[in-house]
Amino acid sequence: MSANSAERPRSLDVVLVKGGRTKIRYAAELVADDGTRIAVRAPWSGDGVRDFGFVRFEPGDVFTEYYWRDRWYAVKEVRDAAGALKGWYCDVTRPATLSGTELVVEDLDLDLWRSADGTDVLRLDEDEFAESGLERSDPEAAAAAVAALDELEVFATVEGGLESLLA
């Protein structure tokens, strides 16, 4: 099926895998698929409020998520129920695969947050990544994951950087 086919599904299941197990599965609306980058939109799928200290994800929030078939990360634009931008949550992942109506992404623990105003750029879960054992079990994937986090941090610290990935 071509990326522009009228037959493409409008609804997908995003399947986030971690450590060989499904971490979360949720329905999302397909926004675009150009053959390399897939964009979906979904409401916050967690139970209730999740307060990270630097951001709160809560019912009514909308995530526009961008996944690449050739990059080791995903970028999620987060807006509140009124449409105000909260920021970008970026996951370091293996390249995404789309099979039928399932978009499967393997989470590699590393994350990055950039607030809407750009004042907060936070590297997250580096301790979890170190504990995952990926550096021993798959050194090439571990190196790609660290490089992806570094690349995301550069995009996040340059004005318009993350936005340029999503245009």
Side-chain angles (χ1 to χ4, degrees), residues 14-23 67-68 71-74 91-97 103-111 132 134 137-138 141 145:
V14 177
V15 182
L16 185 63
V17 176
K18 187 171 179 177
R21 295 189 163 150
T22 298
K23 180 178 173 182
Y67 298 91
W68 285 264
R71 296 186 188 185
W72 287 70
Y73 53 77
D91 287 318
V92 173
T93 67
R94 290 185 189 268
T97 59
L103 177 60
V104 180
V105 185
E106 184 180 349
D107 184 357
L108 298 177
D109 293 311
L110 295 171
D111 301 302
S132 74
L134 189 63
S137 65
D138 191 344

Side-chain angles (χ1 to χ4, degrees), residues 61-140:
D61 286 352
V62 176
F63 289 65
T64 304
E65 305 174 357
Y66 299 85
Y67 298 91
W68 285 264
R69 291 176 172 96
D70 63 350
R71 296 186 188 185
W72 287 70
Y73 53 77
V75 177
K76 301 170 181 181
E77 181 185 89
V78 185
R79 294 184 177 272
D80 69 17
L85 180 65
K86 289 185 172 187
W88 294 268
Y89 195 91
C90 306
D91 287 318
V92 173
T93 67
R94 290 185 189 268
T97 59
L98 180 60
S99 178
T101 60
E102 281 193 345
L103 177 60
V104 180
V105 185
E106 184 180 349
D107 184 357
L108 298 177
D109 293 311
L110 295 171
D111 301 302
L112 184 121
W113 169 256
R114 181 183 183 265
S115 60
D117 64 6
T119 57
D120 290 325
V121 176
L122 307 170
R123 293 172 69 111
L124 306 169
D125 303 328
E126 290 177 297
D127 54 338
E128 287 180 32
F129 177 74
E131 292 169 8
S132 74
L134 189 63
E135 291 175 300
R136 290 183 306 281
S137 65
D138 191 344
E140 289 180 17

